[in-house]
Amino acid sequence: MASKKELGLAVVGCGVVGRMRSTLAKDFPGIGWIGLSDMNEKVGNRLKEDIQADFFTTDFRELIARPEVDAVIIATSTWAHVEPALAAVEFGHSMLIEKPLATDARESAEVLAAIESAGLDAVVGYTQRFRRRFLTVKERVDNGQIGDITAAVTRAFMNRMAPTGETRLTRDRRYLTPMVVSGTHSLDMCMWIMGDGAKPVSIFARSTDKVLGSMGTKDATFGVFTMENGAIWSMNICWALPKEWPGAVYGLEIGIVGTKGVIDIEDTHRDVVLASEFSQGPAYKPDDFVMEAQRNVDFLTSFPPGDIYDGELWGPMREETNSWFQRIYSGKRTPHATAAEGHRNLMLTMAMDLSAKRGTELKLPIDPEELMAGLDG
């Protein structure tokens, strides 16, 4: 068999997630060149040294324009994905974009339109799709083992370390809500499991902000979607639990009822509990983020990317990243969320926020211009 050309990879954003994915790229045999970009020169150069990357710059445009680049990972802050994504489209690169495509529905639509117009393969980082439990659930539902879905419920619990870290670098926090930033993961999971038959036609939601209102975000958002076929789905998230709450990040429960059966998923991670005299601290630990959290009890395995063993990351982000390398290197089919699904997820999470703001049911689908005008008004 003829040997394939090794690929050149650009990684925009050298923080926690960019470091994880770059480190995995270093060991993938189909990648022969790695370039990095980050606004923080110290952070970027440290990663360059650690993985022996070939190039670093503080200008992502300079990186993406390099002739060695074939594919791009966009791992910048939540609100900073649009410009590097459009730059990658300009050069025709395949992409792995951390969720969301944008924090503005109009910009998300613009990115999606650019990707589709250029005919590019771009996926969005919904890491939990690569966990064994969710893959087997998806397979069973696709095989018709619970029949037609009639009802579903999703509940996500997170401690407040996540929103504290998420809001630390920006003053514009209007769209950094629990649904847009974190609830999107559980929303994507349920929409993916329920499949093409899940077509929301309305949403009624409520939010509260008694704890995190001073940060410019919400504590919780609860909503009920109605589907085109009459099925109902309750989608709820609260990320304002005390920082001492034992879940490092996520605790999730999903129930899906069909005409022929039911699937009940407890993903709260309470089956492996560590109690220690040593504080467990926050799960995400960016260089510039300090948050005192005396957490002596921890639900192990509740950090979504996975866990460290012998200095390496093992778990769903490893699976997701390496599968993407196989996707761009050899054309392998993978469970990644498409750019279209990423845009859909943003529209649904922001529709929940708009319904909660208005206190009324919102008809779906909704135009991005109308959605943003409602949120901004």
Side-chain angles (χ1 to χ4, degrees):
M1 185 175 67
S3 60
K4 291 178 178 288
K5 167 187 176 290
E6 289 185 328
L7 300 179
L9 177 68
V11 180
V12 182
C14 299
V16 174
V17 174
R19 170 173 282 273
M20 291 176 182
R21 297 201 193 274
S22 299
T23 303
L24 293 167
K26 172 179 66 72
D27 294 328
F28 188 79
I31 293 176
W33 186 93
I34 301 175
L36 308 173
S37 173
D38 198 284
M39 294 175 62
N40 188 321
E41 191 168 359
K42 179 181 176 182
V43 168
N45 276 317
R46 183 185 303 129
L47 179 58
K48 179 178 183 291
E49 180 179 343
D50 289 345
I51 68 169
Q52 294 297 292
D54 300 282
F55 178 77
F56 170 75
T57 176
T58 56
D59 182 354
F60 68 80
R61 292 180 179 85
E62 179 187 6
L63 170 62
I64 291 172
R66 293 275 304 198
E68 298 92 344
V69 174
D70 299 294
V72 181
I73 292 176
I74 298 173
T76 55
S77 297
T78 300
W79 52 89
H81 298 164
V82 174
E83 291 185 4
L86 293 176
V89 169
E90 181 182 345
F91 286 91
H93 297 321
S94 299
M95 282 180 280
L96 168 55
I97 308 168
E98 298 303 326
K99 60 80 193 165
L101 293 179
T103 54
D104 182 306
R106 295 162 297 198
E107 292 181 343
S108 179
E110 178 187 0
V111 172
L112 175 61
I115 289 169
E116 292 184 337
S117 178
L120 298 177
D121 181 39
V123 301
V124 183
Y126 282 97
T127 303
Q128 298 307 286
R129 288 189 181 204
F130 289 80
R131 293 180 58 202
R132 178 180 171 186
R133 60 177 48 202
F134 295 127
L135 287 165
T136 191
V137 166
K138 172 66 172 169
E139 178 75 6
R140 298 302 194 280
V141 172
D142 285 352
N143 287 343
Q145 294 194 21
I146 65 169
D148 296 328
I149 294 170
T150 60
V153 62
T154 306
R155 192 213 74 176
F157 267 6
M158 302 172 65
N159 65 39
R160 67 188 67 160
M161 288 190 290
T164 301
E166 191 67 42
T167 58
R168 76 191 191 283
L169 295 178
T170 181
R171 294 181 181 178
D172 186 2
R173 301 168 182 174
R174 292 171 295 168
Y175 313 129
L176 297 181
T177 64
M179 275 309 308
V180 168
V181 176
S182 291
T184 183
H185 282 288
S186 45
L187 180 142
D188 173 76
M189 180 56 61
C190 283
M191 290 293 293
W192 180 57
I193 290 172
M194 289 189 289
D196 294 338
K199 298 179 180 178
V201 294
S202 72
I203 174 63
F204 179 77
R206 282 284 192 270
S207 294
T208 182
D209 63 357
K210 289 187 177 181
V211 176
L212 301 178
S214 60
M215 288 186 193
T217 188
K218 305 292 185 182
D219 302 349
T221 300
F222 285 23
V224 176
F225 287 95
T226 301
M227 303 296 179
E228 186 177 67
N229 62 1
I232 53 175
W233 170 34
S234 171
M235 171 66 234
N236 310 319
I237 183 171
C238 178
W239 68 350
L241 277 67
K243 63 180 182 293
E244 294 83 7
W245 174 252
V249 177
Y250 237 104
L252 182 63
E253 293 179 277
I254 300 174
I256 302 176
V257 181
T259 55
K260 302 293 185 181
V262 59
I263 289 179
D264 187 44
I265 308 166
E266 183 181 342
D267 195 44
T268 59
H269 308 281
R270 300 179 194 180
D271 54 337
V272 185
V273 180
L274 169 69
S276 172
E277 294 181 3
F278 297 95
S279 175
Q280 301 307 300
Y284 286 100
K285 300 174 183 176
D287 284 358
D288 57 351
F289 177 48
V290 177
M291 181 174 183
E292 296 299 329
Q294 188 65 32
R295 295 173 58 252
N296 297 100
V297 177
D298 202 7
F299 298 153
L300 300 185
T301 74
S302 62
F303 182 46
D307 297 283
I308 300 298
Y309 170 74
D310 197 23
E312 291 191 40
L313 176 74
W314 299 87
M317 184 166 284
R318 187 186 186 99
E319 296 279 350
E320 178 191 37
T321 308
N322 285 335
S323 292
W324 182 68
F325 295 152
Q326 292 178 301
R327 181 187 181 106
I328 62 174
Y329 185 68
S330 60
K332 180 181 175 63
R333 287 184 59 188
T334 64
H336 289 91
T338 64
E341 289 172 324
H343 175 65
R344 173 206 66 194
N345 294 345
L346 180 73
M347 293 295 294
L348 293 179
T349 56
M350 298 191 97
M352 289 184 71
D353 289 340
L354 180 56
S355 174
K357 178 181 178 180
R358 290 178 173 174
T360 60
E361 183 179 25
L362 189 69
K363 299 299 181 183
L364 299 172
I366 184 172
D367 180 79
E369 291 285 350
E370 180 185 351
L371 178 58
M372 297 310 300
L375 289 171
D376 290 338

